Amino acid sequence: MADKDTATRQDFSIVVIGASAGGIKALSALVRGLPPTLEAAVFVVQHLESTAEKSRLPDILRRYTLLAVHPARDGMAIRPGCLYVARPGMHLRIRPGSIGLDKGEPVRFVRPAADVLFISAAEHYGPRVIGVVLTGNGSDGAAGCLAVKAGGGVCMAQDPKTAPFPDMPGAAMATGAVDHILPVNDMAGQIICLVDRRTRRDTTGKAL
């Protein structure tokens, strides 16, 4: 159950990231630029073998970021300044104020799936969501970007020219829902700008 402060404060942004082949290097480069004071909670789906009992990704990302990195747990409260990593073989969903994990059917042949994460975020957090699709094979994340955009959020994709596996960002771009196409090293700065802009808008009540 979410604690009282978390339950009453849900004004921060939600950043959802999907990656597959080549994703660990891309994720490490992206999170390096995110400050621990970021007014957002960050969620990562990286495609892994479903037979793996435990992902090493949280330990890897802790080497590159000052965000608090957590393996996702069912019912875990969502807090800004934290990064939550999907577990192997389990979909990661975002609920109002907390995380949900389940072993639902694979989506686009994968579990966890970025589409599941993105769609759940869009459903509950609408315009607070920033969706990011990184390098990978297949088209996971494309439907998720459509949902994020329809909910009033913003979508980003790694520039396919800089992605070792360009299928996932290319599929996201093909939907027409992607607002920013960037090399991975420029993504953290753009995320910070988007989060700060939304925070100022919420404070002043004016669009910026």
Side-chain angles (χ1 to χ4, degrees):
M1 180 180 295
D3 59 49
K4 183 177 180 181
D5 289 342
T6 303
T8 56
R9 184 181 171 232
Q10 291 295 316
D11 56 342
F12 47 86
S13 296
I14 299 292
V15 180
V16 289
I17 305 173
S20 187
I24 293 178
K25 183 176 180 180
L27 286 165
S28 299
L30 192 161
V31 303
R32 188 196 301 269
L34 298 178
T37 55
L38 187 71
E39 283 294 304
V42 181
F43 300 82
V44 169
V45 161
Q46 164 70 45
H47 296 165
L48 298 167
E49 291 292 336
S50 60
T51 55
E53 293 184 4
K54 180 181 178 182
S55 171
R56 294 181 55 246
L57 187 57
D59 291 333
I60 293 171
L61 295 182
R62 287 187 188 105
R63 303 173 194 167
Y64 296 94
T65 184
L66 293 176
L67 295 171
V69 179
H70 304 284
R73 297 197 312 271
D74 191 55
M76 176 180 277
I78 298 171
R79 296 183 175 89
C82 293
L83 188 157
Y84 304 93
V85 180
R87 291 179 174 272
M90 301 191 77
H91 287 311
L92 169 58
R93 303 177 192 269
I94 300 179
R95 302 166 177 162
S98 67
I99 288 170
L101 298 179
D102 66 73
K103 290 188 176 182
E105 289 297 315
V107 174
R108 299 188 186 275
F109 308 104
V110 293
R111 186 181 61 216
D115 281 337
V116 171
L117 172 63
F118 285 32
I119 291 168
S120 66
E123 178 181 359
H124 297 296
Y125 286 89
R128 299 179 186 175
V129 180
I130 301 168
V132 182
V133 179
L134 300 179
T135 175
N137 290 318
S139 59
D140 188 28
C145 283
L146 284 171
V148 169
K149 190 68 175 176
V154 176
C155 295
M156 302 169 58
Q158 183 175 357
D159 187 338
K161 297 191 295 292
T162 71
F165 299 88
D167 288 359
M168 277 178 53
M173 291 164 55
T175 66
V178 172
D179 302 283
H180 304 280
I181 302 165
L182 298 167
V184 71
N185 288 334
D186 293 342
M187 285 185 160
Q190 184 64 55
I191 290 170
I192 292 167
C193 286
L194 290 169
V195 170
D196 287 350
R197 184 182 304 165
R198 196 196 65 77
T199 301
R200 294 199 305 274
R201 183 179 65 236
D202 286 354
T203 300
T204 64
K206 298 179 181 179
L208 298 175

